[in-house]
Amino acid sequence: MDFLTAYKIPVGPWAKTLVDWLTANGGGVFDAIAAVLGGIVGWIVMALQAPPPPVTVALIATLAFLLKRSIPLALFVAAALLFIVNQGFWKETTQTLGLVVASSVLCMGLGVPIGILSARRPWAMAALRPVLDLMQTIPTFVYLIPALVLFGLGMVPGLIATVIFALPASIRLTALGVASTPKPLIEAADSFGATPLQRLVKVELPHAMPQILAGLTQTIMLSLSMVVISAMVGANGLGVPVVRALNTVNIGMGFTAGLAIVLIAIMLDRMCRIRG
């Protein structure tokens, strides 16, 4: 035992050296990434905050009705958002929605193509599987530290951490949906002379759409679960009052902010799920 502990593999020093090298040599690149990602979140938040809250609430409730053709869902969305406005958490809610929307768009934009590649190329899934397992199991604070060093305080490190945590769900479910396309459908497409791209667009993706939408729902839920952790690195949103309530042992503030997060999660889940 003494021999094993006396000659440690320097994993920690290697990681620190890598981050120090990236900080010293890639500052401009990381500043550009931070500017782009921060701008995306900023534009979404500004679009949500620009109209008066009742107008934004009405627009989101209308969107819920158009997506699901459900009057009860639209009424629930309106009631949930009006309750949040009543509790004084509207600004934080729009910031959380901006973070969730941006992270979901990035996760689906990256996850769907990678999932398609993984379904088409078994070696790609074999190579990705341990990476995806690592992304989902490694403690979030471990990769928040280098994200904080590289991107500074604010929404960007929170967004990066959220994407790392939520991305595997979209990759895995997309790959599952595409790979589970029945062989008779593929053979029928091939018999009609479909190209690989036509087969993907007209057969495999439509068949995989339920799994892809399930991946979107999972991505949204995982993004919301990162709200409080993101607040610890300077990300604005509903995580801020939760952390503040924790620090001050304010039960009322913590419960109300937590309830707002739950309402947002239910609202987004009902709007994005496969069946309304």
Side-chain angles (χ1 to χ4, degrees), residues 106-261:
L106 288 174
C107 286
M108 298 307 292
L110 294 172
V112 172
I114 296 175
I116 293 171
L117 174 65
S118 301
R120 290 286 187 87
R121 301 290 185 268
W123 59 264
M125 177 53 78
L128 280 173
R129 189 173 290 112
V131 178
L132 298 178
D133 292 340
L134 180 67
M135 292 168 66
Q136 288 187 304
T137 56
I138 190 170
T140 309
F141 291 103
V142 172
Y143 51 78
L144 268 179
I145 298 171
L148 185 62
V149 172
L150 296 173
F151 298 103
L153 286 170
M155 297 290 276
V156 175
L159 177 60
I160 296 293
T162 302
V163 170
I164 293 174
F165 183 65
L167 181 59
S170 60
I171 295 176
R172 290 183 189 275
L173 287 170
T174 300
L176 175 64
V178 174
S180 63
T181 304
K183 287 185 178 180
L185 289 179
I186 296 177
E187 292 172 354
D190 291 338
S191 67
F192 281 102
T195 65
L197 179 60
Q198 289 173 332
R199 187 179 68 190
L200 173 66
V201 173
K202 296 184 178 181
V203 177
E204 292 174 325
L205 285 181
H207 180 270
M209 193 55 62
Q211 284 81 10
I212 293 175
L213 291 178
L216 173 60
T217 302
Q218 288 297 309
T219 298
I220 292 172
M221 296 301 105
L222 291 170
S223 299
L224 278 169
S225 71
M226 290 291 292
V227 167
V228 176
I229 295 176
S230 298
M232 296 182 179
V233 292
N236 296 320
L238 288 169
V240 174
V242 173
V243 173
R244 188 179 300 128
L246 179 63
N247 292 333
T248 59
V249 199
N250 189 328
I251 298 175
M253 179 188 293
F255 180 81
T256 307
L259 180 59
I261 296 174

